[in-house]
Amino acid sequence: MLTLAIETSCDETAAAVVLDGRMILGSVISSQVAVHAEYGGVVPEIASRKHLEAVAPVVTAALSQAGVTLDSIQGIVATKGPGLVGALLVGLSMAKGIAFVRELPFVGVHHIEGHLLAGFLERPVPFPFLALVVSGGHTHLYRVDGIGRYRQLGQTLDDAAGEAFDKTATLLGLGYPGGIVIDRLAGEGDPKRYPLPRPLLHDGSCNFSFSGLKTAVATLVRREGDQIKEGQPLRDLCASFQAAVTDVLVAKSAAALQGEGLTRLVVAGGVASNSGLRAGMHGLSRRIGVELFIPSPLLCTDNAAMIAVPGDFYLENGMCDDFTLDAVATWPLPMVTTQRWLP
Ligand code: KG4
Ligand code: ZN
């Protein structure tokens, strides 16, 4: 099945044309990041307006990249939530409009479901597996037994990992979103120079907490003064922070793999592009002999192709939504997503 997927949950307007939920024929992402950077975070009202401007050209560009027209599309997929409601509504309305006019089946999917299956576009992962989703809004561990069969094992109790990176970067004067800047600076720093806490490392749960880590950096900056925000001290601080986040994510993933008796690990979401985390996860994989799957960075950050993976599965199995489907801001990933189509 050839699907057209649209994703507008936050600050990226994305569309993709995907064959059988596995092969990307066209994928276009228009980022608003520069617009929001001057406000130090995503401004929901501006995001909605920017999505409105971008959505039609992005869909057209994805179709032309794929070398097809709407005549060839057999199903429409859009992100239903979670995310910014105004932003989601733009993509969802576009998807419904095309589906209505073209009389095509349409389905709304969970954004996180897209993240945890994004790697299938490069290499299918045999079920079951453990999935760590680390993004700007999420830090979750799931057991995945099949498409549509997820069990949440843990989540962050406060800030998401990406949020912690971004807030710490802002604190250090590195701009927004600064996760990638910390990553770059950390590459030239000493991760042992500043001992930072590893929150909830030994609490026996699969939950995370990152707000204390950000506070620890703030306390250090107050104590050491502004010179810590420059030169080698800054690089060492970035490396120390990144090592603290990585240690926690690696240790909790290891415990969850062991607890669930799983031998495959998927790491997904924007923070999965972080080089320290990737290295830490590769180390874990070698140490305990689990198979590791991390999508390439372009599939880790928000994109539309990833939501076509579950979308294609639902459409192929006759699970469609009708045009009353609404966007949702908060939506825990259901254990069995297919249940919502049962009578
Ligand atoms: O998945 P994503 O694109 O959007 C959400 O669904 O949130 O993730 C964005 C998050 C941001 O917090 C961004 O700073 C972080 O991923 N991020 C990184 C890196 N690249 C993106 N964090 C650390 N290191 C990176 N290389
Ligand atoms: Zn995302």
Side-chain angles (χ1 to χ4, degrees):
M1 176 181 280
L2 197 62
T3 52
L4 170 68
I6 304 174
E7 147 67 43
T8 59
S9 64
C10 190
D11 58 348
E12 259 104 33
T13 318
V17 176
V18 177
L19 182 64
D20 296 335
R22 293 292 182 276
M23 187 192 287
I24 302 174
L25 301 187
S27 178
V28 176
I29 304 167
S30 166
S31 178
Q32 309 172 0
V33 72
V35 180
H36 299 289
E38 63 178 291
Y39 301 97
V42 178
V43 183
E45 177 61 22
I46 296 176
S48 313
R49 288 170 192 274
K50 290 286 159 195
H51 282 305
L52 266 179
E53 284 169 23
V55 71
V58 164
V59 166
T60 307
L63 289 166
S64 98
Q65 201 181 82
V68 299
T69 65
L70 278 178
D71 292 341
S72 315
I73 298 296
Q74 296 160 298
I76 309 285
V77 189
T79 305
K80 168 187 159 167
L84 304 169
V85 167
L88 287 161
L89 279 174
V90 177
L92 207 52
S93 305
M94 184 73 174
K96 285 185 198 173
I98 297 172
F100 180 72
V101 171
R102 293 277 167 164
E103 297 184 6
L104 291 170
F106 151 78
V107 68
V109 306
H110 197 290
H111 179 76
I112 295 304
E113 203 175 359
H115 273 304
L116 37 99
L117 300 171
F120 282 54
L121 293 158
E122 292 176 328
R123 185 159 64 116
V125 185
F127 299 109
F129 58 81
L130 180 79
L132 171 70
V133 181
V134 270
S135 71
H138 292 84
T139 302
H140 285 67
L141 273 168
Y142 296 97
R143 180 192 168 97
V144 181
D145 284 294
I147 296 186
R149 294 170 61 206
Y150 315 104
R151 187 154 59 82
Q152 186 180 308
L153 304 173
Q155 63 171 23
T156 182
L157 304 177
D158 40 58
D159 291 351
E163 194 179 353
F165 266 98
D166 293 341
K167 285 180 173 170
T168 301
T170 302
L171 194 83
L172 298 174
L174 301 175
Y176 170 88
I180 196 160
V181 186
I182 291 189
D183 189 356
R184 188 164 42 74
L185 292 167
E188 298 159 12
D190 172 8
K192 295 209 165 71
R193 173 148 177 198
Y194 299 106
L196 292 170
R198 268 68 174 155
L200 303 187
L201 191 61
H202 299 298
D203 75 335
S205 81
C206 287
N207 292 327
F208 305 89
S209 166
F210 291 111
S211 68
L213 187 52
K214 172 198 65 199
T215 309
V217 174
T219 307
L220 196 62
V221 170
R222 262 200 310 276
R223 201 181 66 212
E224 302 271 321
D226 273 353
Q227 65 269 23
I228 201 173
K229 295 204 244 172
E230 287 164 14
Q232 196 54 43
L234 174 64
R235 291 193 277 272
D236 293 342
L237 182 51
C238 287
S240 302
F241 171 80
Q242 187 166 291
V245 175
T246 298
D247 281 357
V248 174
L249 294 174
V250 168
K252 294 274 176 170
S253 301
L257 282 162
Q258 197 180 26
E260 292 293 313
L262 294 170
T263 56
R264 284 177 284 268
L265 169 64
V266 168
V267 185
V271 183
S273 332
N274 182 269
S275 46
L277 180 61
R278 291 174 93 94
M281 288 300 183
H282 279 289
L284 172 71
S285 155
R286 279 192 300 274
R287 230 173 23 253
I288 64 171
V290 296
E291 213 178 340
L292 178 66
F293 300 79
I294 311 183
S296 47
L298 254 183
L299 286 174
C300 287
T301 47
D302 286 352
N303 65 90
M306 68 183 194
I307 62 153
V309 181
D312 177 271
F313 172 85
Y314 296 132
L315 293 174
E316 284 285 7
N317 287 283
M319 290 174 261
C320 307
D321 283 308
D322 63 31
F323 297 125
T324 61
L325 186 79
D326 217 347
V328 281
T330 52
W331 182 20
L333 185 58
M335 263 178 86
V336 184
T337 54
T338 49
Q339 236 156 26
R340 70 188 164 111
W341 285 282
L342 294 177

